[in-house]
Amino acid sequence: MRGKRMYVYILASLSRTLYTGVTNNIERRMYEHRNKPTPGFATRYRSNRLVYFEVVYGPMNAIRREKQIKAWTREKRFALIESVNAGWLDLARDWFRETPSPTRIFPQASGGGPSLRGSAATEESRRRRGKLVN
């Protein structure tokens, strides 16, 4: 037997403050993060955009994986996220109608990184909002 299905997940704020957690129900946990703010790190830093998650079997394995990721450097966690979600899209953006969420987390103004102005990502975003007709 593989054990109970668990999820290790990473939330990010607009300024890319990261929160790593574990749950047995990712949809319920995301709903809680977005709609039932309780005092804590994710609420304080507004880390409520799901940018990464993985399935792990067994609660002990999930906790072990969560601790492993938390021990990593910020750069290594960024690389993990970008290996499956290069655009830092909110993976749960369509799960709940009542909580609109930006589809992309932009780098901080002082954070450097490539400019998105004029990029394919920007054009796609405008197309989604109906501002660019193709």
Side-chain angles (χ1 to χ4, degrees):
M1 184 170 165
R2 295 190 298 187
K4 183 174 180 135
R5 178 187 291 236
M6 303 291 291
Y7 299 87
V8 177
Y9 63 96
I10 300 176
L11 304 179
S13 68
L14 287 175
S15 62
R16 292 193 177 184
T17 299
L18 300 178
Y19 171 85
T20 304
V22 64
T23 184
N24 66 347
N25 186 326
I26 191 74
E27 293 89 0
R28 175 190 47 79
R29 191 65 180 117
M30 285 307 303
Y31 183 85
E32 291 171 354
H33 277 297
R34 292 182 179 188
N35 297 299
K36 298 179 182 178
T38 56
F41 184 90
T43 302
R44 182 175 180 186
Y45 293 97
R46 296 187 178 127
S47 298
N48 63 1
R49 288 149 183 91
L50 180 64
V51 293
Y52 176 84
F53 70 94
E54 64 186 63
V55 175
V56 179
Y57 290 95
M60 295 307 293
N61 291 333
I63 291 167
R64 190 176 302 115
R65 178 65 171 156
E66 175 194 28
K67 287 181 179 184
Q68 178 186 38
I69 292 171
K70 283 182 174 182
W72 289 353
T73 64
R74 183 174 175 82
E75 291 76 21
K76 190 168 181 177
R77 283 180 277 156
F78 275 31
L80 175 67
I81 293 164
E82 291 172 357
S83 72
V84 295
N85 187 2
W88 286 67
L89 300 176
D90 181 359
L91 302 175
R93 71 185 172 273
D94 298 326
W95 293 2
F96 311 106
R97 190 179 300 183
E98 66 275 5
T99 51
S101 177
T103 58
R104 177 161 171 81
I105 299 174
F106 293 96
Q108 291 176 288
S110 62
S115 170
L116 295 175
R117 193 166 291 151
S119 71
T122 303
E123 288 179 10
E124 178 61 25
S125 177
R126 287 185 189 138
R127 188 173 292 115
R128 283 187 199 149
R129 292 187 311 238
K131 294 184 178 181
L132 184 65
V133 178
N134 191 1

